[in-house]
Amino acid sequence: MYCISWFIHVLLFLLTSSVYLNGSCLESAGSKPPRPIISELRANFATQSLVVKWLVNHTGLARESGDTYEIQVGRTDNLTIVHNSKVSSCPLGSDSTLTWTWVSTLPLQCADHSIRIRRFCSHADPSDWSQWKTNYGAQDTVDRVWKKTKMFPYQQVLKEGSTILFCCVPPRGIHITNMTFNSTTSYPLINITHRVTAIAVHNLNITQASGSGVYSWCEDTTEKRNNYCSNFISFCPQRPENLSCGTEDLRTVICTWNPGRPANLYEPYKRTHTLHIKNTGEDLIKCGEWSCRFQAVPGLEWYHVSVVVRNQLGEEKQSYSFNITDRVFPVPEGVKVSPGVTEANVSWVMRGNLSGLELFCQVTADPVEPRRLTRLAEAADLQSTSMVCNGGSDERCDVSLEQLSPNTLYATRVRCAVRGNLEGEWTQPTHFTTYPLVTLDVWRKVRLLSHGQRNVTLLWTPQLSGSASSVKIQGYKVRWRQEGFQWILWRNREQTQTEISIGPGQCDMIIQAVIQPGSSPPGHITIPPVERIEYLRNATCVSGSASGGFHLIWKEQEAVTCGYTVEWCTVGSGVSCTLQWRKVPVGNTSVSLPAGDFKAGHRYTFDIYGCTDEGDKLLGIRTGYSQELKPVQSPRLVEPIRTTSSSVTLEWRYHEDDHSHPGFITGYLVTVHKTGSQRSPGHVRSPFTKMVADPHNKSLTIVGLQEHQKYTFHLSALTNVGPGPPTTVTVKTQTIHLNSSPAAVGARHPPVSILENAEELYSGAVWVPGWDEHQTN
């Protein structure tokens, strides 16, 4: 279907002198026909068209094969003729209503448009002209309602490549001085009336700079860009290509197509797609941009469908016919796997009720590489089984896969087809792992000795699951290989670690649980060569989670191919602890450690390793507390304490980085009390507190004190929880001797203005929550 727009209407009416309309012609020779009566004049602003209807009375007139009407369109109150044409109609009855549509190149809001009609019949003079019927523009509304300049068209969809007239309608007494399009381009002004001005914009384009929206402005004698309007440029719909339909379950039909050029407009101007089943009485179906879904019609085998795409500029249609039984693409769903050690049972059901159709199904089991869980092996490695399946909705299809490897991750997929038709799509992979006999969680601790020699503590934890839960372990066989040599040792079933000395090169270690009969799948770990080991010194501080455990996060490393390991131990406790570890699968970069593994007030260090082809590489160190507590140690003051007549300087010793602290030391708190209750003007009030925010800064001078006065100082270490036990000392400030020179007095006793601002010296200190200058411990 061709794209029809109001722009094409204009061209057709300008080139065609007459068209046939619905109506009648009755005329008596020598009689003058009555003039038409215009019964309705209606404007459609979306298409900028006028629809006119008129009545013709044929009473007493002879029938002719047809009659002709001359129609004139006048613009503005001067009735300037902008269109004149003759149209013909065929006789329908004695009294009839005729309809004619005219599309304006100028937006109808820009000016008044009037229509009149007269009739021609053969062998007679033309009738008198009808009265003018007027559709009024927006001038009156601008004067009464908006009271400012308005621009048209507004919020319309304009055709790409067309020529458009934009007009400005100002209030009475205001004149248009300039009109621009897309902000920067001014156009020659066209006078429509004494107050309405227009511009013509040719070849509208959808550009990357402006997108689908275009803007135009009016400037008037108020010296303002008084109004702007926005419109949209789009293009006619394209016929849908590659239309195809099919069903998965004989219940729902899905049709898909290529819509062609992507739509550039959104609601409410977005193009629409509808589907019609032409050989049924079904209603139109609303569709998406690329596809449509509808319920199959019971008993209907052949479908004749059409897809129609529409927008404000026109429509296009594509048709398609098909037999639904030839377009069935079965979909297995509900795939379940019951694994064993070397076999697995796979079952599924068919979507919908396909009973009566002979289905041919294929099942594959593909071993997934442990280090690349998402990668499928080549087709030659597939375990594949085919079978005939009943398509009933209540019956499960099942097949047994055999000769599988134990303790192996598999991805199984299923696809089915109606025999003789195209094969259906594979289901998404369903992963399962065959039961292990025994698995060992293996880790190691490496201690560097002299000359590149190393001591390795190999640790393992047996894990029995599934069919191996009743297997009894007889012992463990440990093998390691380095620089072409291999060693083997035996450990009994009660042992879960062993010490091994190795050289500086790469070393591969394998441990197996010996069971009856056979052995477990081997646990493998690689020790990197000495030159590839990186020793990290700096640790990142972490805090415990709200539950009391730890949630550790790290960045993903491309070199890591076989997962991560997090190991930890309590530090600074003074007693040895059991090394613990947690394995994290590849692709994951976080781990949550439960609170039950940790104690409040104890500091833990976590080493995060990434498993690579050359062994485990240390990626980062984290240290922290699951829950911090207040300090338990008091700072030790350095004596003698330095004093002046107005200040006291405290210095102390404290091992702030000691891992035995129950929390991170964040600073120190000093509380000052003055003996007695008198207070001299210009001196700092007492009691008050000061905080040292740097835990490595272990000195503080308190100024603004009163001479010859005793003060008590309480010094405590701080954690994020609060202060620990204080160290207390009482100090007396010095006395100012009267026989001292003024210069000496000033040196020992700062001026009052300095004392009044003494606290500003500590304006950068961070106040401890819950502690203020009026608390005294």
Side-chain angles (χ1 to χ4, degrees):
M1 181 179 291
Y2 293 99
C3 176
I4 302 174
S5 69
W6 61 277
F7 308 100
I8 298 178
H9 274 297
V10 175
L11 181 61
L12 292 176
F13 278 112
L14 291 176
L15 297 178
T16 305
S17 62
S18 65
V19 296
Y20 284 94
L21 302 175
N22 292 330
S24 63
C25 180
L26 297 174
E27 184 179 335
S28 177
S31 300
K32 186 176 182 178
R35 68 181 181 181
I37 300 174
I38 297 178
S39 59
E40 181 181 354
L41 179 62
R42 177 169 47 87
N44 185 335
F45 295 109
T47 59
Q48 296 298 341
S49 60
L50 289 176
V51 180
V52 60
K53 295 182 179 181
W54 67 92
L55 300 173
V56 179
N57 185 358
H58 301 286
T59 304
L61 301 179
R63 286 185 178 271
E64 290 268 338
S65 59
D67 53 5
T68 301
Y69 294 89
E70 183 178 7
I71 303 176
Q72 289 184 343
V73 180
R75 180 173 290 158
T76 75
D77 51 4
N78 295 328
L79 297 175
T80 302
I81 303 301
V82 295
H83 180 79
N84 189 94
S85 65
K86 290 184 179 181
V87 296
S88 300
S89 70
C90 297
L92 294 176
S94 59
D95 293 303
S96 60
T97 299
L98 303 180
T99 302
W100 180 76
T101 300
W102 174 73
V103 180
S104 175
T105 57
L106 180 72
L108 297 176
Q109 300 95 327
C110 299
D112 299 342
H113 289 82
S114 303
I115 291 182
R116 68 177 182 176
I117 306 171
R118 67 176 176 175
R119 180 184 178 197
F120 287 86
C121 286
S122 59
H123 311 296
D125 295 331
S127 72
D128 296 333
W129 285 101
S130 69
Q131 296 291 329
W132 286 101
K133 191 75 170 179
T134 301
N135 178 78
Y136 294 98
Q139 299 95 316
D140 186 58
T141 305
V142 168
D143 291 335
R144 293 187 299 102
V145 180
W146 294 323
K147 298 180 181 180
K148 64 177 182 178
T149 299
K150 301 295 287 185
M151 196 169 193
F152 303 98
Y154 176 73
Q155 294 286 300
Q156 295 292 314
V157 178
L158 311 177
K159 183 182 177 184
E160 182 182 30
S162 64
T163 296
I164 298 295
L165 290 174
F166 294 89
C167 77
C168 292
V169 183
R172 193 178 304 277
I174 296 176
H175 300 284
I176 301 301
T177 59
N178 187 36
M179 295 177 64
T180 58
F181 177 75
N182 264 1
S183 300
T184 58
T185 305
S186 296
Y187 287 79
L189 299 182
I190 304 171
N191 292 323
I192 304 300
T193 68
H194 67 281
R195 57 190 286 196
V196 177
T197 304
I199 60 173
V201 179
H202 303 280
N203 192 24
L204 293 177
N205 284 321
I206 302 174
T207 64
Q208 184 175 3
S210 63
S212 58
V214 291
Y215 302 89
S216 47
W217 277 267
C218 296
E219 297 180 22
D220 55 34
T221 51
T222 62
E223 297 183 354
K224 296 180 180 178
R225 273 194 170 186
N226 211 333
N227 183 56
Y228 82 96
C229 71
S230 60
N231 292 279
F232 306 95
I233 303 176
S234 191
F235 46 86
C236 296
Q238 294 176 289
R239 178 177 298 176
E241 299 291 339
N242 302 324
L243 175 59
S244 177
C245 300
T247 180
E248 298 173 344
D249 53 11
L250 289 178
R251 295 174 180 172
T252 302
V253 180
I254 301 175
C255 295
T256 60
W257 58 86
N258 182 354
R261 184 178 177 182
N264 67 320
L265 298 181
Y266 302 94
E267 297 293 350
Y269 307 103
K270 183 179 180 180
R271 66 189 181 195
T272 62
H273 292 75
T274 56
L275 184 143
H276 181 220
I277 307 175
K278 294 187 288 187
N279 56 329
T280 69
E282 301 290 326
D283 295 333
L284 292 177
I285 301 167
K286 294 182 178 180
C287 305
E289 182 81 4
W290 295 79
S291 64
C292 201
R293 180 187 298 263
F294 61 90
Q295 296 300 310
V297 180
L300 186 64
E301 186 173 342
W302 276 97
Y303 286 76
H304 305 284
V305 301
S306 62
V307 175
V308 179
V309 53
R310 293 184 179 90
N311 66 6
Q312 285 79 358
L313 301 177
E315 68 177 44
E316 286 287 347
K317 181 173 69 173
Q318 182 67 279
S319 299
Y320 178 69
S321 299
F322 63 96
N323 187 321
I324 192 170
T325 59
D326 294 334
R327 303 296 297 170
V328 179
F329 302 96
V331 176
E333 59 184 10
V335 178
K336 295 182 179 180
V337 182
S338 298
V341 177
T342 59
E343 73 288 333
N345 183 266
V346 183
S347 65
W348 65 93
V349 295
M350 301 306 303
R351 181 181 299 173
N353 188 356
L354 302 180
S355 57
L357 298 177
E358 187 178 12
L359 303 181
F360 179 79
C361 297
Q362 183 181 11
V363 184
T364 65
D366 181 4
V368 181
E369 298 180 22
R371 296 182 178 181
R372 303 183 186 275
L373 296 180
T374 59
R375 176 183 172 186
L376 296 178
E378 298 297 329
D381 298 329
L382 294 178
Q383 296 288 337
S384 180
T385 300
S386 301
M387 62 169 294
V388 176
C389 178
N390 189 335
S393 58
D394 297 329
E395 298 184 27
R396 292 194 70 86
C397 304
D398 62 79
V399 66
S400 179
L401 300 175
E402 299 179 350
Q403 298 181 357
L404 304 178
S405 299
N407 192 33
T408 302
L409 178 64
Y410 284 90
T412 183
R413 298 179 296 163
V414 183
R415 68 177 177 183
C416 298
V418 177
R419 186 178 293 274
N421 289 353
L422 297 175
E423 293 179 337
E425 297 290 334
W426 286 105
T427 62
Q428 290 297 315
T430 299
H431 292 90
F432 69 94
T433 303
T434 50
Y435 289 140
L437 298 177
V438 174
T439 60
L440 298 177
D441 186 7
V442 183
W443 190 234
R444 86 292 180 276
K445 185 174 183 180
V446 180
R447 183 165 57 91
L448 184 63
L449 305 176
S450 60
H451 307 293
Q453 298 298 307
R454 292 173 290 176
N455 179 267
V456 178
T457 302
L458 186 63
L459 308 102
W460 61 89
T461 302
Q463 297 177 342
L464 288 72
S465 61
S467 59
S469 57
S470 59
V471 174
K472 185 175 181 179
I473 299 176
Q474 297 179 340
Y476 301 96
K477 182 170 62 174
V478 181
R479 293 178 295 163
W480 68 99
R481 182 172 56 250
Q482 187 177 43
E483 298 176 352
F485 296 94
Q486 178 172 296
W487 297 265
I488 300 177
L489 60 82
W490 171 268
R491 290 291 179 262
N492 60 45
R493 62 187 182 187
E494 287 81 15
Q495 292 179 288
T496 56
Q497 68 179 53
T498 187
E499 300 285 335
I500 300 174
S501 296
I502 64 173
Q506 178 174 311
C507 182
D508 296 316
M509 295 184 171
I510 298 174
I511 179 171
Q512 287 180 286
V514 179
I515 58 177
Q516 184 64 36
S519 299
S520 71
H524 177 268
I525 197 166
T526 298
I527 310 299
V530 170
E531 64 271 14
R532 296 297 180 90
I533 297 178
E534 296 183 12
Y535 296 95
L536 304 180
R537 298 179 180 272
N538 297 327
T540 302
C541 295
V542 294
S543 299
S545 60
S547 61
F550 285 93
H551 183 70
L552 304 178
I553 302 175
W554 57 91
K555 292 183 178 180
E556 185 174 6
Q557 303 289 326
E558 293 184 0
V560 174
T561 58
C562 41
Y564 301 88
T565 301
V566 178
E567 71 169 26
W568 70 91
C569 191
T570 308
V571 295
S573 62
V575 296
S576 60
C577 74
T578 302
L579 182 67
Q580 301 183 67
W581 68 92
R582 178 71 62 86
K583 296 292 181 68
V584 180
V586 67
N588 294 341
T589 56
S590 65
V591 65
S592 293
L593 304 176
D597 294 337
F598 306 98
K599 294 181 179 180
H602 287 257
R603 186 167 178 175
Y604 296 87
T605 295
F606 303 89
D607 293 340
I608 302 172
Y609 292 86
C611 179
T612 70
D613 294 337
E614 294 183 341
D616 293 280
K617 176 183 177 181
L618 182 61
L619 304 178
I621 303 174
R622 309 287 189 271
T623 184
Y625 300 82
S626 62
Q627 182 180 350
E628 292 189 60
L629 302 177
K630 295 181 180 181
V632 296
Q633 299 178 13
S634 303
R636 182 170 59 86
L637 286 168
V638 177
E639 296 184 353
I641 296 173
R642 292 179 292 157
T643 64
T644 69
S645 60
S646 60
S647 66
V648 173
T649 299
L650 299 179
E651 294 185 31
W652 58 89
R653 299 287 183 266
Y654 200 76
H655 190 5
E656 64 276 4
D657 296 323
D658 189 347
H659 290 176
S660 64
H661 289 311
F664 292 114
I665 302 302
T666 60
Y668 306 93
L669 180 71
V670 177
T671 305
V672 183
H673 296 263
K674 184 179 70 173
T675 303
S677 59
Q678 295 181 350
R679 177 182 175 188
S680 299
H683 290 274
V684 179
R685 62 185 180 275
S686 178
F688 62 93
T689 60
K690 295 295 179 183
M691 194 183 81
V692 178
D694 182 0
H696 300 288
N697 182 11
K698 285 167 278 193
S699 67
L700 177 66
T701 298
I702 300 94
V703 298
L705 304 180
Q706 188 176 350
E707 66 167 313
H708 196 61
Q709 175 65 49
K710 286 185 178 181
Y711 290 90
T712 299
F713 300 89
H714 302 279
L715 172 63
S716 302
L718 289 172
T719 65
N720 288 321
V721 181
T727 295
T728 302
V729 65
T730 300
V731 180
K732 188 175 183 180
T733 57
Q734 297 182 19
T735 302
I736 299 177
H737 298 286
L738 297 179
N739 58 355
S740 299
S741 65
V745 172
R748 291 193 299 268
H749 197 319
V752 173
S753 59
I754 297 179
L755 295 175
E756 290 176 346
N757 298 317
E759 289 182 292
E760 296 182 6
L761 297 173
Y762 303 94
S763 60
V766 179
W767 296 101
V768 179
W771 291 78
D772 58 36
E773 296 182 347
H774 300 288
Q775 289 182 301
T776 59
N777 280 347

